[in-house]
Amino acid sequence: MSTPTEKSARPARSGTPEIRVSGLHKSFGDNEVLRGIDLEIGAGEVVCVIGPSGSGKSTLLRCVNLLEEPTRGQVFVGGTELTDPDVDIDAVRRRIGMVFQQFNLFPHLSVTENLTLPQRRVLGRGKAEAAKVAAENLRRVGLAEKADAFPASLSGGQQQRVAIARALAMGPEVMLFDEPTSALDPELVGDVLAVMRRLAHEGMTMMVVTHEMTFAREVADRVVFMDGGVIVEDGTPEQVIGNPSHERTRHFLSRLLDPAMADVEEGTDGAGAPGGGAAKTL
């Protein structure tokens, strides 16, 4: 279990933001999902983004590496503006690793082949070098013995760890996680979170969209709560999770941490959305 002492034992963070988002808006037709997001994440910092479904948190994450094109605003990674029309986006993306809810492994390729293919195609590494890097990163996620296995023979948690190893094999400076445990059976979540804890301890810059409050409380340097396409609260886990200042944050956490105690409000979804259903965006 991570503790404040363990957090303080991480490599020192620089004052330069590794990720900077300024005035970010994103609309899908008439639906404005992000409504002016300003956010900075320092090098080596772990920031967990929480919030209800439809709050815009996954869209924000996808805008950070331009998987979604912002409607307006700026995104910087490592000092380079991704939203500059003249930027070499492929070059910048090589510095950003992303892990999705689904594992997206090639089923017809072995674990090692899943890790070496992007290295060879994107980074131009030779077969031997790519295999060496693959083996090193499989050891990092505790799956060295699965190098020759195929995805169908692995559990969901093992497949997600392979996906993390694949991202790490590209040598990223930043790791983005989009609810990486949401597709897993509960008993498989712990191993994936343990790998993420290890990366945090090593000083990896991480932006994590998650509903895992224990992980956010123990590992994150900061927690960002989003709702309705805006950042409602941004602070330490102790502030945002332990003692939130906004009623909306308190309501969300009470429903998440103790669903049995959540009130069902007649005519709403319990969060102000009419019609008894969640107000879904992306």
Side-chain angles (χ1 to χ4, degrees):
M1 178 179 292
S2 297
T3 66
T5 301
E6 290 178 49
K7 287 185 187 181
S8 63
R10 293 179 193 163
R13 300 191 299 272
S14 75
T16 303
E18 190 67 31
I19 298 172
R20 181 163 70 87
V21 174
S22 178
L24 192 68
H25 291 253
K26 176 62 181 179
S27 297
F28 296 93
D30 294 332
N31 184 17
E32 191 175 24
V33 179
L34 300 178
R35 301 191 288 125
I37 300 293
D38 295 304
L39 178 66
E40 291 188 356
I41 298 176
E45 194 171 20
V46 178
V47 174
C48 285
V49 183
I50 65 173
S53 177
S55 62
K57 54 191 187 298
S58 289
T59 300
L60 171 61
L61 195 77
R62 291 172 66 86
C63 283
V64 169
N65 66 354
L66 255 60
L67 287 178
E68 296 288 357
E69 188 80 28
T71 303
R72 67 179 187 270
Q74 295 174 296
V75 177
F76 297 83
V77 174
T80 301
E81 184 185 351
L82 276 69
T83 41
D84 184 338
D86 297 324
V87 74
D88 184 347
I89 187 61
D90 291 332
V92 179
R93 281 187 178 137
R94 290 172 195 153
R95 295 152 54 186
I96 306 170
M98 187 154 184
V99 178
F100 300 88
Q101 296 177 31
Q102 303 300 324
F103 321 125
N104 300 321
L105 302 176
F106 292 111
H108 63 290
L109 299 181
S110 70
V111 165
T112 293
E113 290 168 335
N114 266 280
L115 268 67
T116 57
L117 181 64
Q119 294 182 65
R120 298 178 68 184
R121 289 192 175 178
V122 178
L123 302 180
R125 288 175 179 161
K127 184 176 181 179
E129 181 185 6
K132 179 180 178 182
V133 173
E136 289 172 353
N137 283 286
L138 286 174
R139 282 194 293 272
R140 288 178 79 182
V141 301
L143 291 174
E145 76 284 359
K146 300 294 186 180
D148 297 323
F150 285 81
S153 70
L154 305 179
S155 70
Q158 290 172 331
Q159 290 186 61
Q160 190 62 294
R161 284 189 280 157
V162 170
I164 294 173
R166 179 181 56 189
L168 292 173
M170 304 298 285
E173 299 167 12
V174 171
M175 286 286 288
L176 308 178
F177 294 87
D178 188 5
E179 301 197 37
T181 61
S182 65
L184 302 179
D185 292 335
E187 66 270 21
L188 303 178
V189 168
D191 289 341
V192 173
L193 294 181
V195 169
M196 294 171 65
R197 283 186 174 92
R198 196 173 307 124
L199 292 178
H201 188 72
E202 292 171 2
M204 176 65 73
T205 304
M206 297 166 59
M207 183 176 177
V208 185
V209 171
T210 185
H211 284 108
E212 299 288 345
M213 290 301 104
T214 300
F215 176 85
R217 190 189 294 269
E218 295 175 357
V219 180
D221 297 293
R222 283 165 47 217
V223 174
V224 171
F225 173 67
M226 289 185 64
D227 189 32
V230 300
I231 292 175
V232 177
E233 291 202 50
D234 179 351
T236 66
E238 292 78 13
Q239 292 168 335
V240 176
I241 300 176
N243 188 28
S245 60
H246 288 261
E247 176 58 32
R248 183 66 190 94
T249 314
R250 290 193 290 270
H251 186 72
F252 168 76
L253 289 171
S254 68
R255 292 170 64 90
L256 185 66
L257 298 175
D258 193 359
M261 297 301 292
D263 292 330
V264 178
E265 301 175 18
E266 185 176 356
T268 76
D269 68 350
K280 297 289 286 183
T281 55
L282 294 176

